Amino acid sequence: VMLKNNQEAKFRTVLQPIAQVALASDDRQHVSFDAFFTHILMHELMHGLGPHNITVGGRATTVRQEFKESYSTIEEAKADISGLFALQYLVDHQKLDKSLDQTMYVTYLASMFRSIRFGITEAHGRGVAIQLNYFLDHGGVTVAQDGTFAVNPERIKQNVVDLTRDFMTMQAVGDYAAAKQMLEKMAVVRPQTQAVLDRLKGVPVDIEPRFVTAEQLLSTPNTPAPNSQ
């Protein structure tokens, strides 16, 4: 309940204002709290997707050990992109509402700007930068002359499948060199993205929760402790 309350506040005060600035006008109407929250849930579930214990050159090892300093960023990006893959899979198999077809990618595009604003020195932000640049390079996301971003529905689904496969394969074989190369090339904020970030100065980066019940309890006089006997 606390998580959902927090995410609703983030959606209202951060994500929706970002969408008004970052997204093409036709896409803004498809930004949905249900898509935002359900993707976060799928992200957490997808940390369990793919191998964790692997064999590299005859050695028993783990993905974390092989990927070294790149592990956190690649793992967060994997959970994000495979979370979209999982959402689409569940929609296609009629386990989730068909309306998510129109909302999940647009909502995630707006949310990528939200995550990048935390900085690309942080694993989530760096992982999102990789994904956004991949979408731009492979046609899943386009940029208009006015600098707004839009989802290309003809390409985005295949982009998600392909990038999910890339991350999963990279982890399965423990390919540290490929992970490092991806970070160097793709974990950057390009000028078109920076231009949007510059226009978001007036939008909060995050919320600051108030724990109202705790404040009330702390403000009341101390009551005697119950007799432990």
Side-chain angles (χ1 to χ4, degrees):
V1 170
M2 231 167 52
L3 175 66
K4 195 165 187 181
N5 289 348
N6 271 274
Q7 297 308 324
E8 284 174 340
K10 288 174 187 278
F11 180 79
R12 288 194 313 271
T13 61
V14 179
L15 190 66
Q16 286 184 314
I18 286 174
Q20 294 302 309
V21 173
L23 300 188
S25 57
D26 288 346
D27 278 2
R28 293 170 197 162
Q29 62 183 313
H30 298 304
V31 174
S32 147
F33 174 71
D34 187 44
F36 177 58
F37 184 77
T38 310
H39 177 258
I40 292 169
L41 174 62
M42 298 311 298
H43 167 104
E44 300 305 338
L45 290 171
M46 291 303 102
H47 277 303
L49 188 65
H52 289 259
N53 298 309
I54 58 175
T55 301
V56 177
R59 296 180 292 109
T61 182
T62 66
V63 176
R64 183 185 293 274
Q65 287 175 311
E66 294 304 306
F67 276 31
K68 304 172 188 175
E69 80 288 345
S70 68
Y71 173 76
S72 293
T73 298
I74 296 296
E75 177 61 23
E76 294 301 338
K78 179 207 81 174
D80 273 340
I81 199 72
S82 61
L84 283 176
F85 172 83
L87 272 180
Q88 187 65 62
Y89 181 91
L90 292 172
V91 169
D92 290 345
H93 287 75
Q94 301 178 338
K95 302 300 181 184
L96 289 176
D97 195 274
K98 184 69 175 172
S99 63
L100 283 166
D101 250 343
Q102 280 207 308
T103 60
M104 70 172 90
Y105 300 109
V106 172
T107 302
Y108 186 59
L109 177 56
S111 190
M112 284 196 280
F113 287 98
R114 183 185 70 89
S115 297
I116 290 173
R117 294 180 80 207
F118 289 107
I120 60 167
T121 57
E122 187 269 340
H124 290 84
R126 292 182 83 196
V128 165
I130 291 172
Q131 296 164 74
L132 180 56
N133 290 331
Y134 186 94
F135 290 151
L136 289 168
D137 290 347
H138 293 83
V141 170
T142 59
V143 186
Q145 288 188 339
D146 64 0
T148 58
F149 285 57
V151 167
N152 176 3
E154 302 300 319
R155 295 292 305 148
I156 190 79
K157 293 180 184 181
Q158 190 60 48
N159 285 182
V160 168
V161 171
D162 293 343
L163 188 54
T164 297
R165 182 187 297 113
D166 288 349
F167 280 130
M168 293 293 176
T169 303
M170 198 185 298
Q171 289 191 337
V173 300
D175 195 343
Y176 171 68
K180 189 175 180 182
Q181 183 180 29
M182 178 178 277
L183 287 175
E184 290 171 354
K185 180 183 177 183
M186 304 291 282
V188 296
V189 176
R190 294 179 181 172
Q192 292 165 314
T193 303
Q194 187 61 53
V196 172
L197 298 177
D198 290 342
R199 298 201 301 271
L200 295 174
K201 301 289 188 186
V203 178
V205 174
D206 203 359
I207 63 169
E208 184 176 359
R210 283 190 59 207
F211 298 96
V212 179
T213 302
E215 290 171 0
Q216 290 173 345
L217 290 171
L218 289 170
S219 68
T220 56
N222 290 332
T223 55
N227 191 324
S228 60
Q229 295 179 348

